[in-house]
Amino acid sequence: MSDKKIIYLLLLSKIFIKKKLLKKVDFFGGSQWWALRTISLKKIISFVEKNPNFSNFFKDALIPDELFFQTALVNICENNTTAIKPKIVYLSWDKANDLSPKTFLIKDIAEISSASTEKLFARKFDQTLDQQVMDEIDRNLKKLLSE
């Protein structure tokens, strides 16, 4: 059996594994593109250390990056509330039903630049499609840093 087939079968098995949900855990999912404060990370580490079954539950999860930290945060906050600030990652969707955000090209530099006042990062780029956009961002950053 080829490596590709083995990987495919492993992925399929993860999709169809039936898991018993953890008791007293409110599950929550969201984007894996986020930033956390040190205090929040310390609370998550403490929560995970006190609840070893929590980490074990996510070991063979299909999309743990979109569930683990979000679920931990929801469960460490008093009254299941937390202050969530706007995202610091800029992304744009060409169409509402797209599965992935658009890939920025040089023609999108004005859009990216206008978003940079509130965002620290942007997603997504592909140097094989358009190296110019990355070069232009670098030039703009150097200019800002030299002012």
Side-chain angles (χ1 to χ4, degrees):
M1 188 176 290
S2 73
D3 289 344
K4 271 187 171 180
K5 285 183 181 177
I6 292 170
I7 292 169
Y8 180 73
L9 289 173
L10 287 172
L11 288 173
L12 275 178
S13 69
K14 284 188 176 195
I15 293 171
F16 296 108
I17 288 175
K18 289 191 178 186
K19 289 184 158 212
K20 191 172 187 178
L21 292 179
L22 298 170
K23 293 179 182 177
K24 299 182 183 178
V25 172
D26 293 325
F27 286 88
F28 186 79
S31 172
Q32 74 274 37
W33 298 94
W34 39 261
L36 296 172
R37 295 175 40 207
T38 303
I39 187 84
S40 299
L41 290 172
K42 287 179 179 178
K43 287 180 180 181
I44 289 171
I45 290 167
S46 176
F47 174 78
V48 168
E49 287 172 346
K50 291 176 186 172
N51 300 284
N53 286 339
F54 185 78
S55 290
N56 291 335
F57 180 83
F58 288 98
K59 279 187 178 173
D60 59 2
L62 182 62
I63 49 170
D65 58 329
E66 295 181 1
L67 297 169
F68 183 88
F69 289 97
Q70 296 84 340
T71 298
L73 278 172
V74 165
N75 285 274
I76 62 174
C77 297
E78 292 84 32
N79 302 322
N80 283 346
T81 61
T82 187
I84 298 174
K85 294 184 178 185
K87 294 176 184 171
I88 60 172
V89 177
Y90 179 71
L91 44 85
S92 181
W93 300 86
D94 280 334
K95 299 177 188 121
N97 295 330
D98 282 353
L99 296 175
S100 182
K102 80 175 181 180
T103 302
F104 291 116
L105 305 172
I106 191 66
K107 68 181 178 77
D108 302 310
I109 198 69
E111 176 186 346
I112 299 164
S113 297
S114 66
S116 68
T117 58
E118 297 176 9
K119 308 295 182 185
L120 295 177
F121 307 99
R123 178 173 181 246
K124 74 186 189 172
F125 300 92
D126 185 341
Q127 292 178 329
T128 62
L129 289 177
D130 190 341
Q131 176 64 42
Q132 287 181 306
V133 68
M134 301 301 294
D135 293 340
E136 184 64 22
I137 290 170
D138 287 343
R139 278 192 289 280
N140 289 341
L141 286 173
K142 284 178 186 173
K143 191 170 26 171
L144 282 173
L145 293 173
S146 65
E147 292 177 353

